[in-house]
Amino acid sequence: MLRPCFVLCAIFAFSLPSATKNEQRACSPSVENCLEYRSNLLLQLNEGNKQSRDAQIVTQSRHQAFSSHKRVKDAPATPIQKGPFALWVEAHRTTFFLGVASWMLLALMSARPQNTRNDDQGRDMFWDVAKFILIVFVLDTHLSNDMLYLPWFMDVMMPGFMMISGFLQQKSRAGVLDKTVVKRVIRDNVMNNVLFYLVLLAFGQESEDGCLWYLWALAVYRICLFPVFHAVKEHFGQPGVAAFLLAIAVFYCNLTSDWPVDWTELGKIMLLGPGMCWEIPRFAFYYFLGLSIDYKAAREAFSNTTVSVLSCAFLLVHAILVPVDDVFLVSRDASLKWLQLVYFSLLSLAFLACVSPIASITQGPLRHAVKVMADGGSRTLYGYYLHMLIRFLVVTEQFAQVAVDLDSISWCLRIFLETLFMASLCSPLAETCFKGLVSPQWILDLGSRIVKQLDPWSPADFEK
């Protein structure tokens, strides 16, 4: 576990001089600049503008505008034309939300507090609880109108998910390109992503993101990069792992909009929206960091009470004192990218250490809630997929208006209902109803049958 941490320390030391250089940044108190931050960032991302001073001014003004944690309700959204379903929801909001409430009630009634998935499959409840909390963070961020205001957990959310995916890949000890792994990637990362795009197309609804970049990212990491990582680890051991992590970090920190490929054109091939393909190399470091840190040592560290207390204090300081910076999140400045990799990695590790005491609750009234969270955490693919589908079908602007309305009553009510809604999307009922869409095994079975009909002697077999 220590050697990957040495890599983080080296990156941190390398980034310190550059970080101090960026401490003095221009600041404008104009709220109008705040309202234009999205268009400025998209221009910066798509045109490869290396001069980020204007975006920094926008960000600093946003921090002043949101210093009291108020949401800007009049901020312009990306112009997306509403399809027939979105127009129907706009005209029948009460009917739609009554339907959602009925679904939530039925789905939550189907939840299994006994957490059979973890018991039967030997799953570690810790990881599932962490994934459920993170997917609620994702929902809250998307309900915040796609970064109209930035919650503190924006820095933890996706790096944490990627790091957990790396840890679980390490735990599975599956072969490099094991048949089961390849079939799962095709089914749960590629085919369901294509179906996602086709559903939007069938409803006549445009999407600012295209399909789901996160699923493409995991497919690329597992099929394309993991074999390279495994070969380096087998031949060179821990020094090779450290060198691989450093190479991933250097590659990301030196990316531009058109190097080494035209990311916009590559995104079109992958059915992704403008700029979304950029997310794939952006989070690779965290995935392979999870693969590099020793699994047993990490679990012992996360379970340590002292580590958990210090981690909670670290997250608390981050949430209170450190502003979520657009330029830091989507920076084209290499020096900020180096610091970003280190800081987000430390935040993600601290978050996992904070989850450990929650996952270890086995007595008292909270134990049932923890088990339901763990059971839902074993189906976060359903929660991610379905809430993104609803978000784009309803259109992000209308989707986010729900959070605005709930905030006017109480932010506690908003968080509570978001948690219940996500629990319903990660429930056994959701798995039963939407398995053919989210995890389309039927496509692989159909392909296997077609191949066998064409060539009865073919060894092709796509069944589970």
Side-chain angles (χ1 to χ4, degrees), residues 114-365:
Q114 66 271 24
N115 197 22
T116 54
R117 275 199 162 207
N118 287 270
D119 295 339
D120 296 343
Q121 300 180 15
R123 298 173 67 100
D124 189 343
M125 187 183 295
F126 165 76
W127 299 112
D128 287 332
V129 171
K131 289 196 297 179
F132 183 80
I133 295 173
L134 287 174
I135 198 63
V136 173
F137 288 171
V138 172
L139 174 62
D140 183 74
T141 302
H142 291 157
L143 280 171
S144 304
N145 206 359
D146 200 12
M147 296 189 293
L148 276 182
Y149 90 107
L150 300 177
W152 65 269
F153 45 75
M154 277 288 294
D155 299 335
V156 180
M157 195 170 64
M158 298 317 300
F161 256 124
M162 290 300 183
M163 199 173 291
I164 290 174
S165 297
F167 277 120
L168 294 179
Q169 172 93 3
Q170 181 185 165
K171 182 187 176 184
S172 69
R173 299 186 181 279
V176 178
L177 289 177
D178 184 76
K179 182 180 178 181
T180 304
V181 174
V182 173
K183 287 191 294 186
R184 181 176 296 178
V185 169
I186 293 174
R187 181 190 67 199
D188 295 343
N189 297 91
V190 178
M191 298 309 303
N192 61 351
N193 221 349
V194 174
L195 286 178
F196 184 92
Y197 186 83
L198 292 177
V199 169
L200 293 179
L201 200 62
F203 276 87
Q205 182 58 62
E206 298 177 348
S207 162
E208 58 263 40
D209 290 1
C211 54
L212 304 174
W213 70 265
Y214 175 72
L215 299 184
W216 280 122
L218 288 181
V220 171
Y221 301 160
R222 289 171 176 167
I223 300 299
C224 302
L225 295 181
F226 178 67
V228 179
F229 173 85
H230 186 269
V232 169
K233 186 176 181 179
E234 286 292 315
H235 287 85
F236 302 103
Q238 288 299 324
V241 169
F244 185 89
L245 283 175
L246 193 60
I248 290 286
V250 170
F251 177 79
Y252 165 66
C253 292
N254 289 278
L255 282 179
T256 62
S257 61
D258 56 358
W259 185 89
V261 296
D262 187 333
W263 296 100
T264 302
E265 293 301 319
L266 183 60
K268 290 178 181 178
I269 296 174
M270 302 175 77
L271 306 177
L272 292 170
M276 299 311 298
C277 192
W278 188 271
E279 305 293 336
I280 296 176
R282 179 181 166 198
F283 292 102
F285 178 84
Y286 309 106
Y287 179 84
F288 288 100
L289 182 62
L291 271 172
S292 304
I293 299 176
D294 182 74
Y295 181 86
K296 291 183 179 179
R299 282 297 284 118
E300 291 177 2
F302 296 149
S303 302
N304 186 285
T305 304
T306 304
V307 173
S308 296
V309 171
L310 293 175
S311 298
C312 289
F314 177 44
L315 286 183
L316 185 62
V317 170
H318 167 76
I320 295 175
L321 299 181
V322 180
V324 182
D325 193 328
D326 289 340
V327 177
F328 194 37
L329 284 169
V330 196
S331 175
R332 303 197 62 80
D333 187 341
S335 61
L336 284 180
K337 287 182 179 180
W338 283 102
L339 187 60
Q340 178 194 88
L341 291 176
V342 178
Y343 189 63
F344 288 5
S345 298
L346 294 176
L347 281 176
S348 300
L349 293 171
F351 166 79
L352 293 175
C354 292
V355 170
S356 185
I358 301 174
S360 62
I361 296 175
T362 57
Q363 296 180 348

Side-chain angles (χ1 to χ4, degrees), residues 33-46 58 62 75-79 142 144-149 208-209 326 391 396-397:
N33 286 337
C34 158
L35 301 181
E36 297 174 0
Y37 84 100
R38 182 194 293 270
S39 59
N40 290 341
L41 287 178
L42 287 177
L43 285 174
Q44 180 189 0
L45 193 63
N46 294 329
V58 170
R62 275 189 71 253
T78 305
H142 291 157
S144 304
N145 206 359
D146 200 12
M147 296 189 293
L148 276 182
Y149 90 107
E208 58 263 40
D209 290 1
D326 289 340
R391 173 194 174 194
T396 298
E397 181 183 357

